Amino acid sequence: MVGPQTALSAPDFHEPMLIDLDEDEAGYLTESDNESQDGSNTSDATAESDREANKAILNDYVLKTAAAANDRRASSPGQTKNKESDSIINQAREYQQELFERAKEQNVIAVLDTGSGKTLIAALLIRHFLQQELIDRSNGKPGKIVFFLVNSVHLARQQARFLNNNLPQNVRELFGEANEDLWRRADWENIFANNSVVVCTAAVLDQCLMHSFLTMGQISLLIFDEAHHCKKNHPYSRIIRDYYLKWSGEKPRIFGMTASPVDSKRDIVQVVNDLEALLQSKIVTTQDASVFEFAPRATDDFWTYPPLHAEFDTELSAQLRPLCGFIEDLKKYFTFSRYASRELGTWAADRVWKYGLPTSNHEATAVIKQFERSRAYIDEPDNNRRKAALDSVQQAISLVKRYHFGPPGDGTDQELSPKLKHLLMELKKQFSGSKTARGIVFVEQRFTAFILCDLFEMLKLTNLRPGVLVGVGQATAESSPWRDQQTVMEKFRSGRINLIFATSVAEEGIDIPQCNLVVRFDLYETPIQYMQSRGRARMKNSVYAHMIEEGNQNEAGKVDYAIQMDDYIRRFCQNLPPDRLLGQGSKLKQLLARDASCQSFETATGVVASYSNSLLLLTRYAESLQRIGAASAEVYEEIIDPETNMFRYKVILPATEDPRTAKVKGALGDPRTNKVLARRSAAWHCCFKLRKAELLDTNLDSIFVKVKPANLNARIAVSEKKDNYEKKLKPDFWLEGGANSPTLPTRLFVTQVVIGPSSTSTATNSLLLFTRSLLPQLPSFPVYVDDNVERQVTCIQMSRPVTVTEEQIDALTKFTINGVFSDVFHKTFALDPNSMSYWLGPPAKEPLRDSFETIVNMEELLLAGNSERRRWVAITDPEDALKRTSLWCNAFLVDPGSGKFRYFTEHVEPEKSIWDAPPEVAINLQKKHKDTIIGFTDSTYGKYRKDQNTFASRYDAHQPVLKAKVVLAGRNYLKECPPEEQRFAQCYIAPQPLELARVSPDVAAFCVLWPSILHRVESYLIVREAYIKLDLTEVPLDLALEAFTQGNSADNAAFGDIHSDMDGTEASRGAAEQKAPLNYERLEFIGDSLLKMMTTIAVFTRTTCNEEGMHCKRMDLLSNSRLCTTASAPHYELFRYIRASSDPHWQTTWYPEFLKQTGGNQRRLKLDPKHKQHALGKKTIADVCEATIGACIMASQHLPTEQKFDLGIRAITKLVDDPDHALTSWKEIAPMYKPAAWTLQTNDPVANDLANKIEQITGYTFRHPRLVRSAFTHSSDQNSPVPDLQRLEFLGDACLDWVCIWWLFSTNPTRDPQWLTEHKMAMVSNKFLAALAVVLGFHRLINATTPALYEEIGNYSAKVQEIYEQADVKRDFWTRIGTGCAPPKALADLVESYLGAVLLDSNFNFDEIENFFQRHVKWFFEDIEAYDTFANRHPTTHLFRLLREEFRCQKSSPEIIEGVVSAPTTTGDREEGDDGIGDQSVSGVTVHVAWFVHGRIVSASKGQGAKYAKVRASKSALKILGKLKVDEFRTEWGCDCAQKGVKDSTSTEKHEDGNLGGEKMTDCTDKVST
């Protein structure tokens, strides 16, 4: 991992434990790096103070660590060794590159150790020839084919598999047994026409050439695997001798590969000369074998066993010999049985008869029939003797059938030979203690392999799973068809078999990297067999065991000779002439070495500028100028001088905004004999001038490298501090309509507010709302009545206003003031119609018509005009009691002494008295007097109870007891009632203390809901004003309100993840039963993604800068700071319109604003300044902006693709407010994009071929093939005619991000943003995208120039394919690809760059992006619950949850600082593993990340990218904290957060890429892919 391995401890912080990581951090990251929360959640002032203190500690830690590292470097040789190891690996890769360059120019036999990458070089060479073939064919030349020749069938399968995994073209494998129709011309013409590469056994090509199906002129490249076989009459030799040498035309290039050129005891010099002469090639090897020490060599071990006894016939063989010894086909079994009696023991000597005389009826019949066809049987004239012979064979079969072939017992010592016993003992040791052991045991004979496998299968040793691999032969019991070979190899590769008993067929080429043991049970005959079989052990610390009989000088001599010859052959190869040795460098290095006049200069720090590095230095300088306004790269102009016949170049640097760059505008190079040196001469002279002008520093880095864009490494998270902002309480709709004006309206607009269906018998289904102006179309919304029964509120508007008189308005005013505000809500206001914002009225029972009298229930309307409510009159006449009592049944009663409770009566309870106790459920209500029904009912009960003289006569003793439903005031019906809150209860009441309301119970039941309904209606009207300002009135008001409603922290805690403890259908049912309150979080989540995609497209189309520049520009466009600034501008002031899902003041503010309160014994409505303000973080304002964008896309989601983004684009343009995003619709993007000239060129055969291959994979046809070539060009390919993939990858990343988020969002409508973010992380992670690239075959198409990258891709893709091709593969298989197989970021980039290319090529047709998702991505995630734990595996997410949820520690966070200038440094020093795959380095800036708990460092890491460094620091912290129990953590780290009840008082910051967390240091250089 990155960071120091041991750190200096400081008194005030914990020493971090920095250890190697089990899995590469690249797999966890996504392009957006959604890492879940990791921010500070303490109070604003404390958080900022803690952060500064933590950074000071981290800075001090970095300084001390650097000083300690310098001391260790001075005293420890271990680090020197590590550096040497790194150097060896790098040097080996340089040798591979050099070998590749040589092989392109001349015939080569590469003599290198097993595991040194010869096959990889062959693959690169084939790539080169295939590209050249495309160019040749486009120029009209006849097509050619590549042949990769191998010596055995299993090698054909293996090499074809490797090449198929590393080449863009399909590779055809051919060998005789599997391809019966290879002997017709038509078949070969088809093979030639449809294939570019063929892997086959040499005999196949030999026969093809012999029949003239192909000629040497049709072959471009011949590769000979295990080239040492090219001698005598081997097919390799025949192909060269009979066809290659005799061909008079252009001959194919030859590339031979072998670990040793010698495989016999002949004179080595003569053998080498013969091999070179025959293959028309030169041996190339390396003088320094240590450069390939990264490919480990097995350690020789010598297993010595006691001497063996002489051969003999076992009892079974002795009995069988007279019965069937005369049969020619069985003689080999008798011979092997005697051999086995010595080498293996009597158990094996008898076991061979299981194969020689099978006992099943079918097999026995086959043996007899075979005997009947033998010469001995046919030539016997005597029928009796024939019959006797057949009977004898039958007796032999019966004897074998009766024989017990069980496992060896504890009998005689001769059952198992000393040799076999020793093998058994050693294998027990090797396998019993290791589950990962994997080995090969080499034997001489097939029978030995089968019998040893039988033995170990019977013994069932711990962890040992045996198998057999023998050569392809005729179909006999002991033969091995190639399909069986393939099965065995697949099982060995996957570990289902971990020990193979093999003949010499396995000596060559078997490539199983996990193999760590090779045993020569039967010794080799030649040194090459020793060298080849030893190469099968590929793991580090592997063992190669020679089994030697004690005292057997012949075997000991054979071993010594093989080892000596191995050393001699190595030394011979190393002493070849210099032109045969690798290490001379590339062609450029050799060219520079030959030209002694090439200049150089050295800086004060020892950095040298020469012709070899001048181009790179100047390119880096020119790239740095883009940071200060340069619009192009450096330009080289060729100057032609016909007189001198020399080449000369002038380099011109781009102009910039910085006057310092005017000191050096370019340079003129010296005349040179070739263009390569002339160009480098110009670059060197320019570098010299730049250094002299101090525009290059002493490290030859541009001084402008560190002049980064203004927002590079800027804090894009706005301050966590909350400020008070003006809050709009009432919509302008009422005032603009004429409320509080001196004149009354003559017509009113009518809206019927309907709740349907009715929830109880006491609830009406509608009320009329009268307004001066026409309300906008209001969406339906739910209210939750009774026991959280959901009912929809719908507003139905009459088409035309109704004419009203002053008397009718006066009646409406009285109904609203008296019937609703006074009777239902216990608030009395002055009856002033002019001050009314709106009026309420009871609807008529008939369908509504055009006139006032026909739409209003006039009887009930006029009833509310009474100035007083009816009261209870004491019953004096029992006969009148029933009539009076009936008025109080099924009525709405008002408590004149309190507005807390409302009563809806049902019927009389004749058995009850007012002095009885109320029911239990009513007693739980918050009433002072609960002993009696009258005390429960009368809110003044306690006041009069003190006067005992009048108390007894106060209450009517004859009044009835009524069953009633009591409804509590102040409840919010817009959300479900929580379990701890009570809305109503059944009770018994006495009517005397109460009064009959002036509205019916149906109207009253509706009016109870009215504050909630009006609050929602006014919220709609308020946010509508914001959308009018933004010119986004197409957004429905329900989406508009959702976008402007911030959630309550308590709501979030209760509803944040309603699925956390559920699975599948249970989760869906839970979602239906419990709905989260209205808030903007989901809309903000989807809006953020659209904002990212659109700003990405805008930046891509409007700029030509590199990925870093685009990233910084995009960051500026979508930063929270910009959104907040725009939203807070005077012409918007969007903060005024933000709502809260749980407004604490809504019970006060819902009343019309212009009414004058008159009642004296009621709660006064007083609007304080606090009601008109709310505390908002700038982050909340920015979130509302993103949610507004989300509301726009939701409003237009039903439109065609080319239109559905338009509304969102308009919103982004308004809220971003930048000329670079001046779009109003999607169709404006294409005209804005000006394609570069290189994209329009069509005469590129390589690009055309790549486009055809991509079409076969994805179905998309490229109109501009060079775009896809750019998408598959890695940054290492500096000589490509097209730019590398980085800009396209930047574009495609945002598109992929959007389609994944949109699919998740659309298919999971009840999931919260946290869940969506965590599952999106899986969909766009490096792990998935790299695996997808392999599944699609993209890994075969990448263009790069580094063998190391191809090797990395090959290893990873082989693992993915191995798992993916299994019959029962799971859709999430890619999450379980094991440790040590990290996904290369280059593969993940391919998917994103491809999508970027498709978007451009399709003229921004987004349907093509969605089609790709549907065809190739969606399948993996249809069972999305399979990824529920994926985010938890992300180290930062895991650590955050451990700290916050399990330990409940709020004072824990990561801190980031960038390169401490004062820290001691050493030029070129970099600790091992400092950068993960994709941890991109820019200008040497180092980022330090540390996790803090209560001001102490838990772990720290460093890197050149903050994201990777954070992952590494998180992993290390988990190693420390993950082992602690809660109490242990709190004790060790002094955490008292749980005891103090520290609350989460700050909003979580969400940054540019959508990740949650605290303040974030965003570095444009850290753009990495999850």
Side-chain angles (χ1 to χ4, degrees), residues 818-838:
N818 295 339
V820 179
F821 294 158
S822 178
D823 288 5
V824 180
F825 298 106
H826 202 65
K827 296 293 182 291
T828 305
F829 299 98
L831 293 171
D832 180 7
N834 297 87
S835 63
M836 297 292 289
S837 297
Y838 59 86

Side-chain angles (χ1 to χ4, degrees), residues 1462-1487:
S1462 56
T1465 59
T1466 302
T1467 303
D1469 178 50
R1470 185 174 70 83
E1471 301 197 23
E1472 183 179 2
D1474 191 28
D1475 293 318
I1477 301 171
D1479 194 358
Q1480 298 171 1
S1481 146
V1482 175
S1483 66
V1485 174
T1486 299
V1487 176

Side-chain angles (χ1 to χ4, degrees), residues 1522-1555:
K1523 299 180 292 186
L1524 300 180
K1525 297 178 180 179
V1526 175
D1527 292 341
E1528 293 173 341
F1529 168 80
R1530 292 175 180 170
T1531 301
E1532 183 172 341
W1533 293 92
C1535 178
D1536 56 356
C1537 296
Q1539 293 90 324
K1540 288 183 176 180
V1542 178
K1543 295 182 179 179
D1544 182 358
S1545 61
T1546 59
S1547 62
T1548 349
E1549 292 292 354
K1550 188 177 74 58
H1551 307 290
E1552 175 231 330
D1553 291 327
N1555 59 305

Side-chain angles (χ1 to χ4, degrees), residues 1294-1315:
C1295 297
L1296 178 64
D1297 200 62
W1298 165 259
V1299 290
C1300 291
I1301 285 177
W1302 178 250
W1303 178 79
L1304 270 177
F1305 186 90
S1306 304
T1307 55
N1308 298 277
T1310 63
R1311 299 290 194 175
D1312 64 278
Q1314 178 71 13
W1315 185 94

Side-chain angles (χ1 to χ4, degrees), residues 615-628:
L615 284 177
L616 178 62
L617 291 173
L618 191 60
T619 299
R620 282 175 54 84
Y621 175 79
E623 287 176 350
S624 74
L625 298 184
Q626 295 180 10
R627 306 172 188 274
I628 52 175

Side-chain angles (χ1 to χ4, degrees), residues 176-204:
E177 182 182 340
N179 302 274
E180 298 177 356
D181 296 328
L182 290 178
W183 317 124
R184 297 186 306 170
R185 179 177 296 277
D187 294 316
W188 276 102
E189 289 175 348
N190 181 60
I191 290 171
F192 182 77
N194 296 315
N195 297 278
S196 300
V197 182
V198 171
V199 178
C200 65
T201 52
V204 171

Side-chain angles (χ1 to χ4, degrees), residues 235-416:
Y236 281 1
S237 179
R238 292 199 301 269
I239 289 170
I240 295 295
R241 186 178 59 243
D242 297 342
Y243 310 107
Y244 184 87
L245 295 178
K246 293 179 180 179
W247 181 254
S248 58
E250 183 181 4
K251 296 177 181 178
R253 172 80 63 248
I254 288 178
F255 182 66
M257 303 184 296
T258 182
S260 169
V262 181
D263 68 343
S264 68
K265 296 183 180 180
R266 292 174 57 204
D267 177 63
I268 186 170
V269 176
Q270 186 60 46
V271 171
V272 167
N273 290 338
D274 290 348
L275 185 63
E276 287 188 328
L278 192 55
L279 283 176
Q280 297 287 289
S281 307
K282 290 184 178 181
I283 285 179
V284 174
T285 185
T286 173
Q287 191 172 33
D288 181 9
S290 68
V291 299
F292 291 113
E293 286 182 1
F294 71 92
R297 288 168 58 92
T299 301
D300 288 296
D301 196 5
F302 306 97
W303 294 357
T304 304
Y305 55 89
L308 303 175
H309 52 70
E311 295 180 359
F312 62 94
D313 271 348
T314 65
E315 182 180 346
L316 177 61
S317 292
Q319 294 177 28
L320 289 172
R321 192 176 291 278
L323 295 175
C324 57
F326 54 86
I327 300 177
E328 191 67 31
D329 289 339
L330 295 181
K331 287 182 179 179
K332 61 182 178 181
Y333 295 97
F334 285 102
T335 301
F336 180 81
S337 179
R338 286 185 63 85
Y339 163 83
S341 67
R342 178 181 188 274
E343 296 289 329
L344 304 175
T346 58
W347 182 88
D350 289 341
R351 183 78 182 179
V352 71
W353 292 110
K354 287 280 290 184
Y355 298 93
L357 290 172
T359 56
S360 69
N361 292 334
H362 170 72
E363 291 173 321
T365 303
V367 170
I368 292 173
K369 286 183 177 180
Q370 185 178 9
F371 172 61
E372 289 175 336
R373 293 192 297 270
S374 69
R375 179 58 55 188
Y377 184 84
I378 295 172
D379 292 344
E380 175 60 55
D382 189 338
N383 286 334
N384 291 329
R385 290 185 178 180
R386 282 188 175 186
K387 184 176 184 305
L390 287 175
D391 291 342
S392 177
V393 173
Q394 288 280 16
Q395 291 178 38
I397 292 173
S398 298
L399 179 61
V400 172
K401 193 171 186 178
R402 294 192 303 271
Y403 192 85
H404 176 64
F405 291 99
D410 298 328
T412 66
D413 290 340
Q414 292 186 350
E415 266 200 300
L416 298 181

